[in-house]
């Protein structure tokens, strides 16, 4: 399974299942370069602090377990057994409340299961993970709306859909393999209706590298409608679409046209005749139903409140907040109502917001209006990022004890799991800053660069007592460190993982909730590497001593870990080992897909957002723009492959800010000049990123964009969705000023 994104792998993969970014991620892991003891002997960590992440990772794969030597300020080789012993001793001397165990989303189901088990046996629920910065808004909102923590779509929905609403996800860069599914759908006449801050290349057109198109250069047009929404404007935009549908339905009813009865709403709209005509244009395709009243009645609650809210919002307000015209929102509504099965696909442009949870509620509300959940060709697709970020949750990586099967763990392994609520990512950051967190263990990732508030976090990080990094390549989170610091190198997923019973397979869960086995084929980067399960077991044994967990037997044969996972989650992982390599993966039961709503009401819920947009003290000020952060086509999160964003035409630097031409002249700048960006939220700290080059770009007025992670120092830690705690990386008020600093020379 690809180490890049989490997109689904079909039972019959496309001829090469080609993806430029998957190829890059694989090459990145199989590089012949090595950052071994000789490299570390040459460089102090103080020196490496001045290097960029690109240059750190460029050194190649880590090869030996290393311990920081304070006298020399260098990482020096250490024996695995000594490393485990000392880490175990340190952990035993700390209160488990002071210890945080982070997981980036690449670790396998087997490793993740062992890791959360170790954390709980040790006594800590502090299990922050990359998902907290990513789809946590979905993990909070989807259960409330439809009673499932994951999306309901599967691959065959692409074959049965007539229309796809594609919201706030950049398929060409972030999940390129999905372009095959989109292209096949487009070729069948499926309409793709896109809502995005930018006009992204992959959402506009696609040349399939496997098809004869490549020779002729003919392209498939992907989006049939493209709505360039302001960042944070999606609630307003989707409300506009819902308002058009609801008022058309009202108008139809008022005009006496036949449709399923049951609603008493009256059209508020002035131009009722136009609305009737509009409704008729939708209804023609669908037996005069604009809304699916039968579904709404049988399967949902909260419709009336939601419909009233939609009617009450004024078009001019929806237009101002969304940046779209009323005609555009009506057009999208028309396309939606003329399709009998619509998929909703979305990504980070919805989840990484102050109102991320409400954004996801709105996607569900729109789907529920026409019963677009739980029928073939419809459904919600939350496009996950890291290749196993969804799966690690499924096997217990969570700070919320209520989401982990504590009774089962207690019964199987004879211990009392902690029942207190642990820390999620931003809470871990707070604890690092205020000193409550004394030890940080990292299963992959580059925490310091991925989180908000870089400056405050780096200061707090240096005060950690213990830092343990399990990693494949060197990054900034390793060169800054605690008083006692270990860097433990591990095998990557594409390498042969030889254990006592032979070469091992691992497993992951894709974005569509299917489980897949994966077997590494490449020669390991170094003979000193241990697998992730072996490292977790080593730390666990040294910390916990004798327990009921057969750590060594598990490491000797991962099938036994899968048996343990199946014993813990018998329904989800039924016949796990037998089905490991089933083509197309095996599906995890998702009740909402069967229209079983595991919510408090027993129904799917319309949940009405109470605001269209967050309030900022600087709202409405002419010199304040709204910043969103982006990935380039030449990076995987904090791993910067290179300085070329081919699809957006930016070459040679990532220190840029994308701006609308009118904003550039209105603020007295010129395209290409360098500016400083300052956070414009009332708050005592000044957060600034200096020397970004203006790139004039097709972006709505009042909005601007910069790259992640370069822009992360601007984000206050407290600037997150209140429920999900997902940082608002896609919406931050900022002020721009002329820069005296020119990094280009
Ligand atoms: N090559 C590559 N692949 C990756 C990754 C990578 O870094 N590189 N990262 C992986 C990970 S962990 C993840 S989570 C996914 C991320 O994949 P995506 O979900 O695509 O996330 P981003 O790349 O951050 O881009 C978000 C998109 O939303 C748009 N956008 C920004 N703000 C808004 C808004 O307020 N409203 C709307 N409607 N649109 C908005 C942006 O223009 C952009 O097209 O990709 C995964 N795959
Ligand atoms: N401003 C802003 N910030 C963001 C985002 C954004 O859109 N905007 N996106 C957020 C999102 S969606 C995410 S998911 C996070 C990502 O945050 P993380 O998951 O913490 O970061 P990555 O960059 O994916 O981690 C890269 C490192 O992982 C290690 N690694 C790679 N492969 C393996 C492996 O197989 N095993 C182990 N043990 N280690 C490995 C390597 O050492 C590499 O340097 O960032 C978040 N931060
Ligand atoms: Mo992510």
């Amino acid at each position: 399974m690809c180490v890049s994104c989490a997109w689904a792998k079909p039972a019959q993969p496309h001829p090469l299942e080609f993806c430029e970014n998957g190829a890059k991620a694989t090459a990145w892991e199989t590089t012949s370069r090595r950052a071994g003891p000789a490299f570390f002997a040459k460089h102090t960590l103080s020196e490496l602090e001045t290097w960029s992440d690109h240059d750190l990772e460029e050194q190649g794969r880590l090869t030996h377990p290393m311990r920081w030597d304070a006298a020399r300020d260098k990482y020096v080789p250490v024996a695995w057994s000594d490393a485990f012993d000392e880490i175990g001793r340190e952990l035993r001397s700390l209160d488990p409340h002071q210890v945080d165990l982070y997981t980036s989303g690449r670790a396998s189901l087997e490793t993740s299961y062992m890791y959360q088990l170790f954390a709980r046996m040790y006594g800590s629920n502090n299990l922050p993970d990359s998902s907290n910065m990513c789809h946590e808004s979905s993990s909070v909102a989807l259960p409330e709306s439809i009673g499932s923590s994951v999306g309901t779509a599967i691959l065959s929905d692409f074959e049965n859909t007539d229309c796809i609403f594609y919201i706030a996800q950049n398929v060409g860069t972030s999940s390129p393999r999905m372009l095959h599914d989109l292209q096949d759908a487009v070729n069948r006449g499926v309409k793709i209706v896109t809502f995005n801050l930018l006009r992204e290349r992959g959402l506009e057109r696609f040349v399939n590298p496997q098809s004869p198109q490549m020779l002729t250069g003919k392209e498939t047009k992907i989006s049939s409608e493209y709505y360039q929404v302001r960042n944070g404007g999606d609630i307003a935009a989707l409300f506009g679409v819902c308002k058009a549908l609801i008022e058309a339905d009202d108008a139809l009813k008022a005009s006496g046209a036949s449709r399923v009865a049951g609603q008493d709403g009256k059209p508020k709209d002035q131009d009722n005749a136009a609305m009737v005509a509009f409704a008729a244009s939708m209804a023609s395709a669908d037996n005069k139903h604009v809304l699916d009243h039968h579904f709404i009645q049988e399967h949902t609650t909260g419709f009336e409140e939601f419909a009233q809210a939609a009617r009450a919002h004024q078009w001019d307000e929806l237009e101002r907040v969304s940046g779209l015209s009323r005609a555009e929102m009506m057009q999208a509504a028309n396309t939606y109502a003329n399709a009998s099965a619509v998929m909703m696909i979305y990504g980070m442009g919805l989840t990484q917001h102050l109102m991320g949870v409400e954004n996801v509620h709105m996607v569900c509300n729109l789907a529920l209006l026409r019963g677009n959940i739980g029928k073939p060709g419809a459904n919600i697709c939350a496009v996950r990022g890291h290749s196993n970020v969804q799966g690690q949750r499924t096997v217990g990586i969570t700070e919320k004890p209520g989401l982990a099967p504590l009774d089962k763990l207690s019964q199987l392994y004879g211990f009392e799991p902690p029942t207190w609520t642990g820390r999620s990512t931003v809470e871990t950051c707070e604890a690092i800053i205020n000193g409550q967190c004394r030890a940080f263990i990292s299963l992959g990732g580059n925490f310091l660069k991925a989180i908000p508030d870089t400056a405050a976090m780096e200061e707090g990080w240096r005060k950690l007592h213990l830092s343990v990094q399990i990693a494949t390549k060197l990054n900034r989170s390793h060169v800054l460190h605690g008083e006692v610091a270990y860097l433990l190198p591990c095998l990557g997923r594409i390498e042969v993982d030889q254990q006592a019973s032979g070469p091992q397979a691992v497993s992951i869960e894709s974005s569509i909730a299917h489980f897949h086995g994966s077997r590494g084929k490449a020669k390991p980067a170094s003979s000193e590497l241990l697998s992730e399960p072996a490292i977790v077991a080593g730390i666990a044994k040294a910390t916990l001593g004798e327990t009921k967990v057969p750590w060594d037997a598990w490491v000797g044969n991962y099938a036994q870990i899968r048996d343990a996972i199946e014993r813990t989650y018998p329904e989800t992982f039924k016949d796990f080992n037998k089905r490991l390599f089933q083509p197309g993966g095996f599906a995890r039961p998702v009740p909402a897909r069967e229209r079983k709503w595991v919510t408090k009401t027993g129904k799917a819920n319309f949940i009405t957002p109470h605001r269209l947009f967050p309030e900022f003290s600087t709202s409405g000020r002419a010199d304040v723009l709204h910043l969103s952060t982006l990935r380039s086509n030449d990076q995987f999160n904090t791993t910067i492959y290179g300085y070329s964003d081919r699809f957006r035409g930016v070459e040679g630097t990532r220190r840029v800010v994308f701006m609308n031409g009118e904003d550039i002249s209105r603020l007295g700048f010129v395209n290409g000049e360098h500016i400083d960006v300052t956070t414009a939220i009332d708050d005592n700290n000044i957060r600034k990123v200096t020397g970004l080059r203006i790139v004039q770009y097709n972006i709505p007025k009042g909005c601007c964009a910069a790259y992640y992670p370069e822009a992360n120092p601007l984000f206050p830690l407290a600037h997150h969705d209140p429920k999900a705690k997902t940082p608002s990386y896609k919406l931050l008020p900022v002020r721009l000023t002329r820069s005296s600093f020119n990094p280009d020379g």
Side-chain angles (χ1 to χ4, degrees):
M1 292 300 290
C2 186
V3 290
S4 189
C5 80
W7 188 238
K9 184 174 179 180
Q12 276 132 13
H14 296 92
L16 240 161
E17 202 61 20
F18 175 88
C19 152
E20 177 189 345
N21 288 319
K24 269 188 207 165
T26 306
W28 177 92
E29 201 163 299
T30 51
T31 172
S32 57
R33 309 187 69 163
R34 297 289 178 268
F39 169 80
F40 288 105
K42 264 194 261 159
H43 306 282
T44 63
L45 294 199
S46 311
E47 181 203 338
L48 293 176
E49 266 187 36
T50 64
W51 290 30
S52 72
D53 265 291
H54 174 260
D55 294 342
L56 291 172
E57 291 211 21
E58 271 291 292
Q59 300 312 309
R61 289 287 299 276
L62 299 167
T63 62
H64 286 68
M66 311 293 277
R67 184 188 192 284
W68 178 63
D69 179 278
R72 284 178 279 175
D73 186 29
K74 283 177 178 163
Y75 272 129
V76 298
V78 59
W80 280 105
S81 56
D82 292 342
F84 294 149
D85 286 347
E86 188 182 16
I87 294 167
R89 232 178 10 254
E90 290 290 349
L91 288 178
R92 281 198 307 275
S93 74
L94 288 163
D95 175 345
H97 285 86
Q98 299 176 306
V99 178
D100 292 57
L101 299 97
Y102 174 71
T103 318
S104 166
R106 201 175 279 188
S108 64
L109 292 167
E110 291 79 357
T111 306
S112 303
Y113 178 79
M114 289 171 74
Y115 193 62
Q116 61 83 35
L117 180 60
F118 160 60
R120 297 202 157 88
M121 295 185 89
Y122 168 62
S124 179
N125 281 328
N126 294 330
L127 284 162
D129 71 344
S130 60
S131 192
N132 295 146
M133 297 178 260
C134 187
H135 263 292
E136 191 67 42
S137 306
S138 303
S139 306
V140 170
L142 291 177
E144 293 173 343
S145 291
I146 61 168
S148 162
S149 57
V150 298
T152 57
I154 55 175
L155 275 185
S156 63
D157 287 325
F158 284 87
E159 291 157 27
N160 295 309
T161 189
D162 328 295
C163 174
I164 297 174
F165 267 50
Y166 206 96
I167 311 172
Q169 205 268 350
N170 185 13
V171 63
T173 285
S174 304
S175 51
R177 287 179 294 119
M178 195 207 287
L179 279 168
H180 293 288
D181 305 300
L182 294 181
Q183 188 187 36
D184 291 349
V186 167
N187 289 340
R188 281 197 305 107
V190 170
K191 297 239 163 84
I192 300 194
V193 180
T194 295
F195 292 81
N196 198 299
L197 174 67
L198 304 177
R199 292 195 76 94
E200 299 284 24
R201 171 73 159 71
L203 286 164
E204 296 201 294
R205 49 194 200 274
F206 173 47
V207 183
N208 187 335
Q210 255 73 61
S211 86
Q213 276 184 345
M214 192 69 174
L215 302 173
T216 61
K218 204 171 137 259
E219 301 174 316
T220 306
K221 184 171 181 239
I222 296 292
S223 301
S224 42
E225 292 166 39
Y226 208 119
Y227 300 114
Q228 231 178 316
V229 70
R230 296 169 52 98
N231 51 332
D234 298 275
I235 293 177
L238 297 182
F239 246 129
V241 177
C242 293
K243 178 182 174 73
L245 294 165
I246 289 165
E247 292 187 350
D249 193 71
D250 292 342
L252 257 196
K253 188 185 173 205
S255 76
S258 73
R259 48 138 259 221
V260 179
Q263 299 308 316
D264 54 13
K266 290 206 180 68
K268 282 233 168 76
D269 206 76
Q270 305 306 315
D271 42 359
N272 199 34
M275 219 55 196
V276 173
F278 175 62
S281 77
M282 298 169 165
S284 59
D286 197 20
N287 292 328
K288 299 195 171 7
H289 300 207
V290 175
L291 306 182
D292 185 341
H293 288 281
H294 182 72
F295 176 86
I296 291 172
Q297 233 154 30
E298 189 179 333
H299 288 287
T300 73
T301 70
F303 170 72
E304 254 324 303
E305 185 194 339
F306 179 70
Q308 284 303 351
R311 291 178 194 117
H313 284 301
Q314 298 299 310
W315 282 111
D316 55 354
E317 188 195 13
L318 297 175
E319 287 185 326
R320 184 178 51 77
V321 180
S322 69
L324 304 179
S325 69
R326 171 181 178 174
E328 287 178 308
M329 293 182 262
M330 302 252 297
Q331 175 59 49
N334 194 297
T335 306
Y336 181 71
N338 279 309
S340 53
V342 182
M343 292 178 79
M344 301 279 164
I345 304 182
Y346 71 91
M348 294 300 103
L350 280 194
T351 60
Q352 293 174 332
H353 273 283
L354 285 176
M355 297 182 68
V357 169
E358 283 100 330
N359 274 332
V360 177
H361 286 155
M362 271 312 286
V363 170
C364 294
N365 293 338
L366 177 58
L368 293 176
L369 283 181
R370 286 180 51 84
N372 276 315
I373 300 184
K375 72 181 176 195
N379 290 307
I380 308 271
C381 180
V383 189
R384 304 277 163 165
H386 271 299
S387 51
N388 193 37
V389 64
Q390 183 162 318
Q392 66 197 23
R393 281 296 174 85
T394 307
V395 294
I397 300 283
T398 170
E399 78 286 358
K400 300 186 180 99
L403 298 181
L406 300 187
D407 292 351
K408 229 12 202 257
L409 295 176
S410 155
Q411 175 202 327
L412 287 169
Y413 306 109
F415 74 106
E416 281 310 312
T419 52
W420 45 273
T421 299
R423 292 191 276 259
S424 69
T425 291
V426 294
E427 291 157 334
T428 293
C429 293
E430 286 158 5
I432 289 172
I433 291 172
N434 70 25
Q436 281 171 7
C437 168
R438 300 297 300 133
F440 188 91
I441 303 182
S442 204
L443 182 57
N446 185 359
F447 193 75
L448 269 184
K449 291 295 253 194
I451 53 171
D453 244 340
T454 315
M457 277 302 300
E458 291 199 345
E459 206 183 306
W461 191 260
R462 292 175 199 278
K463 295 185 195 134
L464 284 170
H465 173 64
L466 173 70
S467 60
V468 178
Q469 295 282 344
I470 303 166
T472 49
K473 283 210 184 164
L474 187 61
N475 65 45
R476 186 155 182 90
S477 305
H478 311 152
V479 297
L480 270 63
H481 56 86
E483 290 160 338
V484 178
Y486 282 92
L487 179 52
L488 306 178
C490 64
L491 289 171
R493 189 188 300 148
I494 57 182
E495 289 167 320
V496 176
D497 184 352
Q498 184 70 39
Q499 301 293 348
S501 68
Q504 302 298 310
V506 294
S507 54
I508 63 147
E509 177 179 345
S510 75
S511 270
I512 57 157
H514 279 51
F515 300 113
H516 294 261
S518 177
R519 209 182 272 286
K521 302 225 170 72
K523 184 170 179 268
S526 146
S527 58
E528 296 293 312
L529 300 182
L530 289 185
S531 73
E532 288 177 329
I535 295 172
V536 174
I539 296 174
K541 284 194 301 174
T543 309
L544 306 172
E546 196 59 36
T547 66
K548 273 182 83 174
V549 179
W551 300 104
D552 290 331
W554 282 4
V555 172
N557 180 2
Y558 298 176
Q560 292 193 22
I561 314 172
R562 288 186 287 274
D563 285 337
I565 294 175
E566 185 176 340
R567 278 194 293 276
T568 313
Y569 304 90
E571 263 177 53
T572 308
F573 288 101
K574 190 168 178 307
D575 295 330
F576 194 0
N577 276 307
K578 261 192 226 136
R579 297 197 287 171
L580 187 59
F581 284 101
Q582 184 172 307
F586 71 92
R588 148 182 179 186
V590 176
R593 215 189 133 67
E594 320 297 326
R595 297 193 167 176
K596 290 184 197 127
W597 315 107
V598 192
T599 59
K600 280 190 193 133
T601 61
K603 305 253 182 177
N605 300 310
F606 282 93
I607 302 177
T608 308
H610 293 295
R611 287 183 300 175
L612 295 179
F613 199 79
E615 268 159 44
F616 301 117
S617 57
T618 49
S619 287
R621 294 191 44 168
D623 62 337
V624 170
L625 300 184
H626 287 160
L627 174 83
S628 184
T629 51
L630 305 171
R631 295 166 158 77
S632 87
N633 184 52
D634 215 8
Q635 77 182 88
F636 191 92
N637 297 338
T638 69
T639 296
I640 310 303
Y641 299 124
Y643 295 86
S644 157
D645 196 357
R646 185 159 61 75
F647 291 156
R648 300 198 185 102
V650 178
E651 300 293 332
T653 179
R654 295 171 47 84
R655 299 192 64 84
V656 299
V657 55
F658 297 94
M659 287 179 74
N660 178 290
E662 282 184 40
D663 285 332
I664 297 177
S665 42
R666 183 175 64 83
L667 296 170
F669 301 132
V670 291
N671 186 23
E673 86 170 286
H674 286 87
I675 53 169
D676 296 343
V677 181
T678 314
T679 305
I681 290 186
D682 276 345
D683 170 300
N684 297 328
N685 293 318
I686 293 185
R687 295 183 179 78
K688 197 179 218 180
V689 169
T690 56
L692 298 186
R693 189 168 83 207
I694 296 178
V695 173
Q696 184 173 333
Y697 207 72
N698 181 357
I699 181 168
K701 273 184 280 179
C703 308
C704 64
Y707 288 120
Y708 144 59
E710 286 77 357
N712 283 40
L714 294 170
F715 288 84
L717 207 44
H719 187 66
H720 55 69
D721 180 285
K723 259 196 195 167
K725 308 229 155 79
T726 311
S728 183
Y729 290 134
K730 298 295 190 257
L731 179 62
L732 179 74
V734 293
R735 223 175 253 120
L736 313 181
T737 48
R738 183 157 287 118
S739 180
S740 51
F741 170 77
N742 179 350
D744 296 341

